């Protein structure tokens, strides 16, 4: 997915585009411009740090609502293993009752 840049991130976007262009040129030519790419990457990191250090309240809000920012469900799916017997469509009586699957207060209940 191509990154989406906010309006205040345009200098970063231009620098990143230049870096990508140089990488493409380096792949097609015999010239070694890796040092220039490294220099631009460092400049991009510095520019990003400087821009984000001076954000106003509206820009912070824009970053918080960025379209490519992960949602809660993205984190939950990464944290919890999804198994077929723990879905919302499965009846409660078919769910495991082991102490590892249930808190101690619920493990000994009869359903």
């Amino acid at each position: 997915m191509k990154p989406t840049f906010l309006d205040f991130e345009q200098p970063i976007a231009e620098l990143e585009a230049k870096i990508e262009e140089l990488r493409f040129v380096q792949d097609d030519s015999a010239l070694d411009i890796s040092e220039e790419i490294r220099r631009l990457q460092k400049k991009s990191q510095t520019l990003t740090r400087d821009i984000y250090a001076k954000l106003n309240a509206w820009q912070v809000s824009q970053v918080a609502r960025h379209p490519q920012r992960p949602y809660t469900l993205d984190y939950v799916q990464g944290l919890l293993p999804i198994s077929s017997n723990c879905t919302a469509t499965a009846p409660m009586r078919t769910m495991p009752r082991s102490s590892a699957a249930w808190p101690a207060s619920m493990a000994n209940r009869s359903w």
Side-chain angles (χ1 to χ4, degrees):
M1 176 188 278
K2 189 174 182 177
T4 303
F5 291 96
L6 300 170
D7 57 345
F8 61 88
E9 296 177 312
Q10 286 311 308
I12 301 168
E14 293 167 4
L15 198 52
E16 290 294 326
K18 180 69 174 171
I19 292 170
E20 274 305 308
E21 183 181 323
L22 287 175
R23 283 187 182 140
F24 183 72
V25 168
Q26 182 181 14
D27 290 343
D28 291 344
S29 70
L31 294 174
D32 184 24
I33 52 176
S34 58
E35 188 59 39
E36 178 70 12
I37 293 172
R38 230 183 332 271
R39 186 183 67 77
L40 287 175
Q41 285 175 329
K42 185 170 180 146
K43 184 177 179 181
S44 174
Q45 291 172 351
T46 304
L47 182 62
T48 302
R49 196 174 307 119
D50 292 344
I51 288 174
Y52 276 83
K54 299 174 186 173
L55 293 180
N56 61 33
W58 174 242
Q59 291 168 332
V60 170
S61 177
Q62 286 179 305
V63 170
R65 296 178 177 142
H66 195 281
Q68 291 178 330
R69 187 176 174 105
Y71 291 97
T72 304
L73 191 56
D74 298 327
Y75 291 110
V76 170
Q77 288 174 345
L79 292 173
L80 300 175
I82 305 298
S83 65
S84 62
N85 64 347
C86 291
T87 61
T89 59
M92 288 297 286
R93 64 188 172 317
T94 63
M95 296 181 114
R97 292 189 179 178
S98 69
S99 59
W102 291 94
S105 62
M106 296 183 70
N108 297 325
R109 289 188 179 189
S110 62
W111 300 96

